[in-house]
Amino acid sequence: MDSNNKLNLGRYGIFGGQYIPETLMNEVLKLNESYLYYKDDIEFNNELRLLLGNYAGRPSMLYYAKKMTEELGGAKVYLKREDLNHTGSHKINNVLGQALLAKKIGKTRIIAETGAGQHGVATATAAALLNLECEIFMGEEDVKRQSLNVYRMELLGAKVNSVKSGTATLKDAVNETMREWTKRVSDTHYLLGSVMGPHPFPMMVRDFQSIISKEARAQILEYEGKLPSTVIACVGGGSNAIGIFYNFINDKSVKLIGCEAAGLGVDTDQNAATIATGSIGVFHGMKSFFCQNDEGQIKSVYSISAGLDYPGIGPEHANLHETGRAEYVPIKDEDAVSAFEYLAKTEGIICAIESAHAIAHAIKIVPNIPKNDNVIICLSGRGDKDVASIARYRGKKIIEF
Amino acid sequence: MSNIGKAFLKGKAFIPFITAGDPTMEHSYNYIIEMAKSGADIIEIGIPFSDPIAEGPVIQRANIRALKNNVTLFDVFSLTKKVREKTNVPIVYLTYYNPILKFGVEEFFNTCQKSGVDGVIIPDLPFEESGEVLPFSNKAHVDLISLIAPTSKERIYKLATNAQGYIYLVSSMGVTGVRSEIANDLNLIVDEIRNLTDVPVCVGFGINTESQAREISKFADGIIVGSAIVSIIENYCENAKDEIIKYVTKMKAALI
């Protein structure tokens, strides 16, 4: 048994691993080898740096939110502006890395899941730029809710498949993308959008996203001459959170806080707060925390934010939680919506409803953090996509085209 | 010799699959008994799961129908015990790993042993991760049946030399479901496995017709048929008995 356990790859404590059908095993093992080679390859890194700089618009700024700081009356608030990247969120960091890797290993086609469409749009963008055939899998419910993003992906040359199986949302889109991958692995790379799935995905996506904290750490040291006391990010699968946490993990003085989607509340069954309401399980290729019932059936989850509407969390987060290195807090829809409006009025920034979960928690805790400290919030994406649904939430009637 | 091992002494094995609780537990019981009577050598029982990532649309729908009936693992164990009172046909569960984990791995395999389950297939537990269940399945004398795929290649050695019960050779890429074409180099993979182990090799995924069954049984020890039978149940629901008997009888007869 021990000899078997030594073969286990990609563990974060007890979490992670490679729980996938045999048909995919060789492909995933090969992907791991290729990634380990290219991540230290000078040419690969130069090409990626060029894409991130000239195409995605990195480095993203670390913005001092002066008005917010004054209003909250506590620590200085900094926003890491991933919303200003090309395609409007942190998703592009991972997508460019994986698409470039796919090309290097000779793949001609990429497939990806998407919830609200942010990862799908980013993937279609990279596919257009790098001449890769692209197919996106999106739950039928999400296709209906996000028709504009569907059209965006089509404009970018991608084929969008509407997924009708199961609950017809993000988890089913992941199921269907995995099924598609088992049908056609030889020319196809599955461009997973978060720090989830079987190894090497959680590691690879984390590495590509860790540029967020690499920049933020250097920026805050330059501006403030010291580390932040607290770093806050929203968590669904957890890619922007691991991105902003990663280079602070060894800085023990820095408190790391992930904000989960509590939907209508953790005491209801209408939430997606995996750490607060889930338990340990194996799903989508990894061992982690999942929202599930007593029979081990995966629950359908709910959040106003499609990007956080996922029943699991990445395995590295599960371990950061288990070891106490990071804290995970549930944030309700109503608090996220209020924070969305607050940031718009206070700083003139319309952020993604996902990121608004992090803002909401900052509004709660920053007043109690000393003035000479500073706090970094990862503003993972911009909120144009959410404006219509926030209006609906507030009962405003606006005409959508 | 294990109950599964004995099933291969009589010649080529026909292994039908049904999803437990589709359309009801009572019908699953009747269909299993009839399949055993009609010549099924081993029966695979699928434990319903919310997200069966290795299944095609037909078995996905069966999972949904079964879950609507709130089928639990406890119910499937009860069903198995009831089947055991009537027949000794080897029973193999096909289940995703999460329901086992939630039930408790040790408890699951102990209950398998008590209920008369001979083997378990876990499609999302590859060889590398099997170390966390093997101590318990071995202790309970339940075979952990492994899959070999057309993409397994250099992995075949460790999969075959560690195999228990029978080897489930996946006929083609993708998910379960009826196919008109089956990979044509399957016999080469079977030859390769045979050089490594005496564990019987059964081919599944996509097999539907008598002629496919006949062709494959020329080189394999058994064939596994899932979606074709689940389709019959989908079409005839509570009245599928006669059709199932007819189908199992003719498929068994087709084996060489």
Side-chain angles (χ1 to χ4, degrees):
Chain A
M1 297 326 106
D2 281 333
S3 63
N4 264 353
N5 279 333
K6 277 179 201 142
L7 297 172
N8 286 356
L9 285 162
R11 289 283 169 178
Y12 307 89
I14 65 161
F15 303 103
Q18 294 179 305
Y19 299 87
I20 48 166
E22 173 60 26
T23 310
L24 287 176
M25 273 307 281
N26 250 336
E27 185 64 20
V28 164
L29 294 172
K30 263 190 273 169
L31 179 64
N32 185 49
E33 273 175 38
S34 307
Y35 173 66
L36 292 178
Y37 172 80
Y38 282 107
K39 89 182 177 74
D40 298 322
D41 180 61
I42 292 170
E43 195 187 303
F44 178 82
N45 281 292
N46 284 340
E47 284 177 52
L48 183 56
R49 199 173 303 120
L50 207 64
L51 284 173
L52 289 171
N54 293 357
Y55 188 69
R58 301 211 71 89
S60 71
M61 66 167 91
L62 185 70
Y63 164 73
Y64 170 48
K66 189 161 175 278
K67 273 184 75 190
M68 192 173 162
T69 301
E70 283 165 6
E71 279 195 19
L72 296 178
K76 286 176 92 169
V77 175
Y78 283 88
L79 304 176
K80 182 61 175 164
R81 299 289 306 273
E82 293 298 304
D83 59 319
L84 298 179
N85 297 337
H86 180 45
T87 72
S89 80
H90 71 291
K91 292 287 182 192
I92 196 76
N93 304 330
N94 166 47
V95 159
L96 288 174
Q98 279 197 57
L100 193 61
L101 180 67
K103 272 209 93 99
K104 294 280 178 195
I105 60 180
K107 304 289 182 183
T108 54
R109 176 174 176 256
I110 50 179
I111 54 175
E113 83 292 345
T114 197
Q118 295 305 100
H119 177 57
V121 168
T123 302
T125 300
L129 182 71
L130 297 174
N131 290 316
L132 291 156
E133 188 189 338
C134 179
E135 277 190 49
I136 303 296
F137 292 80
M138 187 171 184
E140 191 179 32
E141 286 302 312
D142 293 328
V143 166
K144 279 186 217 150
R145 285 188 289 213
Q146 298 286 344
S147 52
L148 209 53
N149 268 343
V150 173
Y151 188 62
R152 271 192 192 107
M153 290 183 261
E154 286 168 354
L155 269 179
L156 293 159
K159 183 182 170 209
V160 181
N161 298 287
S162 172
V163 175
K164 296 172 181 63
S165 61
T167 54
T169 58
L170 178 56
K171 86 176 165 77
D172 308 283
V174 175
N175 294 346
E176 215 49 49
T177 319
M178 280 194 175
R179 289 181 185 123
E180 175 65 23
W181 206 25
T182 54
K183 281 181 205 157
R184 198 172 152 186
V185 288
S186 58
D187 67 345
T188 301
H189 174 69
Y190 180 3
L191 207 159
L192 239 164
S194 192
V195 283
M196 46 158 289
H199 179 71
F201 287 103
M203 168 183 78
M204 186 166 68
V205 178
R206 175 253 279 155
D207 288 352
F208 290 136
Q209 292 294 1
S210 67
I211 191 165
I212 302 174
S213 52
K214 193 178 163 199
E215 289 173 5
R217 195 174 183 282
Q219 287 165 324
I220 197 78
L221 286 175
E222 187 193 331
Y223 306 158
E224 293 289 336
K226 64 174 187 176
L227 291 168
S229 75
T230 309
V231 172
I232 309 172
C234 64
V235 184
S239 69
N240 92 87
I242 210 75
I244 191 105
F245 288 174
Y246 189 64
N247 288 288
F248 292 111
I249 289 175
N250 290 328
D251 300 319
K252 300 294 179 207
S253 66
V254 179
K255 210 170 160 190
L256 307 174
I257 304 176
C259 302
E260 298 191 302
L264 302 184
V266 290
D267 47 350
T268 73
D269 59 0
Q270 297 291 301
N271 69 74
T274 312
I275 295 284
T277 67
S279 57
I280 292 175
V282 163
F283 184 51
H284 283 162
M286 58 180 169
K287 184 175 279 181
S288 189
F289 286 90
F290 298 97
C291 298
Q292 54 181 319
N293 70 12
D294 294 341
E295 287 291 315
Q297 308 293 349
I298 304 302
K299 278 190 186 169
S300 60
V301 290
Y302 164 79
S303 162
I304 190 171
S305 144
L308 305 181
D309 198 1
Y310 180 71
I313 186 168
E316 194 164 5
H317 285 295
N319 193 45
L320 289 172
H321 163 71
E322 201 76 346
T323 58
R325 178 62 190 93
E327 179 193 356
Y328 295 84
V329 296
I331 303 293
K332 285 194 206 175
D333 280 1
E334 56 185 85
D335 295 331
V337 171
S338 299
F340 176 93
E341 293 162 337
Y342 172 88
L343 196 70
K345 293 207 170 77
T346 312
E347 291 290 344
I349 297 170
I350 294 177
C351 72
I353 189 65
E354 289 79 19
S355 322
H357 285 69
I359 300 291
H361 192 61
I363 292 170
K364 281 181 206 165
I365 66 166
V366 165
N368 299 318
I369 301 175
K371 281 187 181 215
N372 51 357
D373 281 346
N374 57 74
V375 169
I376 298 178
I377 307 164
C378 189
L379 213 68
S380 57
R382 68 170 181 235
D384 313 41
K385 67 183 177 60
D386 298 311
V387 171
S389 78
I390 300 299
R392 267 198 303 277
Y393 184 88
R394 289 298 188 211
K396 292 245 166 66
K397 287 201 172 77
I398 54 170
I399 299 162
E400 275 181 81
F401 292 97
Chain B
M1 177 173 265
S2 74
N3 205 17
I4 289 177
K6 284 181 209 156
F8 292 92
L9 295 177
K10 302 170 284 182
K12 308 284 173 165
F14 179 67
I15 309 175
F17 166 97
I18 64 163
T19 300
D22 171 33
T24 71
M25 272 302 191
E26 208 185 307
H27 287 91
S28 294
Y29 171 77
N30 291 333
Y31 296 162
I32 289 167
I33 299 295
E34 294 303 331
M35 290 195 294
K37 279 195 214 159
S38 311
D41 298 289
I42 296 172
I43 292 170
E44 287 183 3
I45 300 178
I47 293 172
F49 185 52
S50 52
D51 298 84
I53 56 157
E55 313 297 346
V58 171
I59 297 180
Q60 282 178 44
R61 288 197 297 270
N63 277 276
I64 291 168
R65 288 194 296 271
L67 286 175
K68 275 198 185 130
N69 297 335
N70 294 315
V71 170
T72 66
L73 254 178
F74 182 79
D75 297 333
V76 187
F77 283 127
S78 304
L79 166 76
T80 310
K81 280 186 199 160
K82 218 170 113 192
V83 168
R84 271 286 160 269
E85 291 166 11
K86 279 266 187 186
T87 166
N88 249 333
V89 68
I91 287 178
V92 171
Y93 282 179
L94 187 143
T95 174
Y96 289 82
Y97 187 34
N98 202 48
I100 299 181
L101 207 58
K102 196 73 187 171
F103 195 87
V105 179
E106 185 168 15
E107 179 75 10
F108 173 82
F109 284 103
N110 288 344
T111 315
C112 280
Q113 188 181 23
K114 281 184 227 154
S115 313
V117 181
D118 300 287
V120 175
I121 305 166
I122 311 172
D124 58 349
L125 191 79
F127 178 78
E128 280 75 356
E129 306 292 359
S130 63
E132 56 189 271
V133 314
L134 274 170
F136 306 110
S137 58
N138 285 338
K139 210 177 95 201
H141 304 288
V142 175
D143 287 329
L144 189 66
I145 289 159
S146 46
L147 292 105
I148 291 183
T151 46
S152 294
K153 301 204 168 96
E154 67 277 13
R155 294 170 55 75
I156 289 176
Y157 178 82
K158 65 180 168 192
L159 299 174
T161 53
N162 287 283
Q164 304 178 341
Y166 56 90
I167 287 166
Y168 191 137
L169 176 60
V170 176
S171 72
S172 40
M173 299 299 291
V175 292
T176 57
V178 169
R179 289 170 173 72
S180 54
E181 278 179 45
I182 304 281
N184 51 14
D185 60 346
L186 268 185
N187 57 329
L188 301 178
I189 303 179
V190 174
D191 286 345
E192 191 182 346
I193 298 169
R194 284 222 202 288
N195 287 333
L196 298 164
T197 178
D198 294 329
V199 174
V201 184
C202 301
V203 176
F205 273 43
I207 302 173
N208 172 32
T209 65
E210 291 163 88
S211 68
Q212 284 172 329
R214 190 174 305 118
E215 281 310 302
I216 291 167
S217 70
K218 284 178 187 165
F219 55 83
D221 299 300
I223 63 154
I224 303 161
V225 174
S227 296
I229 289 168
V230 174
S231 279
I232 294 175
I233 295 174
E234 182 166 48
N235 292 333
Y236 292 88
C237 299
E238 286 90 356
N239 308 310
K241 189 175 120 183
D242 293 346
E243 290 299 317
I244 289 173
I245 294 173
K246 239 192 279 175
Y247 184 76
V248 172
T249 308
K250 76 171 184 189
M251 290 297 276
K252 172 67 183 172
L255 303 188
I256 290 170

